[in-house]
Amino acid sequence: MTRYAILTDLNRCVGCMACMVSCKVINGVPIGSYWNKMLRIGPYKRKDYKTSNHVDMYYLSVQCQHCENPKCVEVCPTGASHKMADGTVQIDKAKCIGCQFCAMSCPYNVRYLNEEERVVEKCTLCEQLTSQGGLPQCVAQCGGRARFFGDLDKGIESFEAPRNAYKADREHNDFQYDQLFEGNRITFGELGQPYDKQTEVHHLPNAGNDPSFVYVLRDREWKGDE
């Protein structure tokens, strides 16, 4: 069994929003709509707050969580929203009637109606890349190497990110996509700092949908349930 997901190391994320920008560019997401949103959490007072500099903050990326038990699939009247064998949740635009039941049922508000095509869209986890062994664009373009992609059944230590930065062909204004598919990988187990598996591994709020994406946050108070 395969369960593709993204792990975000929140201690490494610098809030550069490269994940948001690259996602919009490669998927043609219109202005005002997002497949991946970056939220600033805080600043908030630490539990040991005494002076004004005892505050923390971090950046939290929110997108389709490709849930284990997706509510969007349950309510879809046509089967347009469906779960794949690789664990991802996809939309068959040929079946979508734009009723938006799926968007209303999503606990994370990460679906939107494409007004021009009259179909609902969301993060596909770059299925066009991952189906060929590649990395999602938001992982490949993460400047802080805070995002990792992998199979939950193999453990989050095996999740991968680029080992080195990818290069663009500036002369032809083109990105060298072949670099997404072969080598140049580093795992979260290799790159990530030590963390407590019991208290520092988090998920977005579970509304019975069992979100798949993983967030690691060390030495700070998790606010993702609020």
Side-chain angles (χ1 to χ4, degrees), residues 10-199:
L10 299 178
N11 295 90
R12 295 185 64 92
C13 178
V14 298
C16 69
M17 300 187 184
C19 56
M20 288 178 57
V21 174
S22 60
C23 173
K24 288 176 73 70
V25 170
I26 195 173
N27 294 299
V29 181
I31 293 174
S33 299
Y34 301 89
W35 288 13
N36 177 26
K37 293 182 283 188
M38 184 65 68
L39 307 179
R40 188 188 71 187
I41 308 300
Y44 58 88
K45 294 179 180 179
R46 299 176 186 170
K47 291 183 177 180
D48 61 350
Y49 178 85
K50 293 181 181 179
T51 63
S52 59
N53 64 340
H54 287 176
V55 296
D56 280 328
M57 65 169 266
Y58 61 90
Y59 295 95
L60 179 68
S61 59
V62 178
Q63 64 198 93
C64 174
Q65 300 290 294
H66 295 276
C67 304
E68 186 70 21
N69 298 295
K71 297 300 179 183
C72 55
V73 172
E74 289 183 17
V75 302
C76 181
T78 66
S81 288
H82 58 284
K83 195 167 176 65
M84 303 284 286
D86 60 10
T88 64
V89 177
Q90 304 294 344
I91 300 172
D92 185 341
K93 290 187 175 183
K95 294 181 179 179
C96 182
I97 57 175
C99 67
Q100 301 181 71
F101 288 168
C102 59
M104 290 183 279
S105 70
C106 176
Y108 315 114
N109 193 29
V110 291
R111 289 178 172 233
Y112 69 92
L113 179 68
N114 182 318
E115 297 286 355
E116 184 175 340
E117 297 184 31
R118 302 302 300 174
V119 296
V120 172
E121 295 181 333
K122 69 169 191 69
C123 162
T124 64
L125 207 54
C126 285
E127 190 271 340
Q128 74 276 21
L129 297 175
T130 58
S131 63
Q132 301 177 65
L135 295 171
Q137 190 74 353
C138 61
V139 174
Q141 297 300 318
C142 178
R145 281 189 294 180
R147 296 171 72 87
F148 299 79
F149 170 76
D151 181 353
L152 287 170
D153 287 341
K154 295 180 180 178
I156 62 175
E157 301 294 318
S158 69
F159 278 39
E160 295 181 323
R163 180 176 294 275
N164 300 305
Y166 293 106
K167 297 179 180 179
D169 184 344
R170 297 185 182 277
E171 181 180 352
H172 298 93
N173 194 29
D174 191 22
F175 182 80
Q176 295 179 14
Y177 283 102
D178 59 311
Q179 297 178 82
L180 288 170
F181 298 98
E182 297 181 4
N184 194 29
R185 303 286 178 86
I186 191 169
T187 67
F188 177 64
E190 294 174 291
L191 186 62
Q193 297 296 312
Y195 63 96
D196 189 313
K197 296 181 180 180
Q198 300 300 317
T199 63

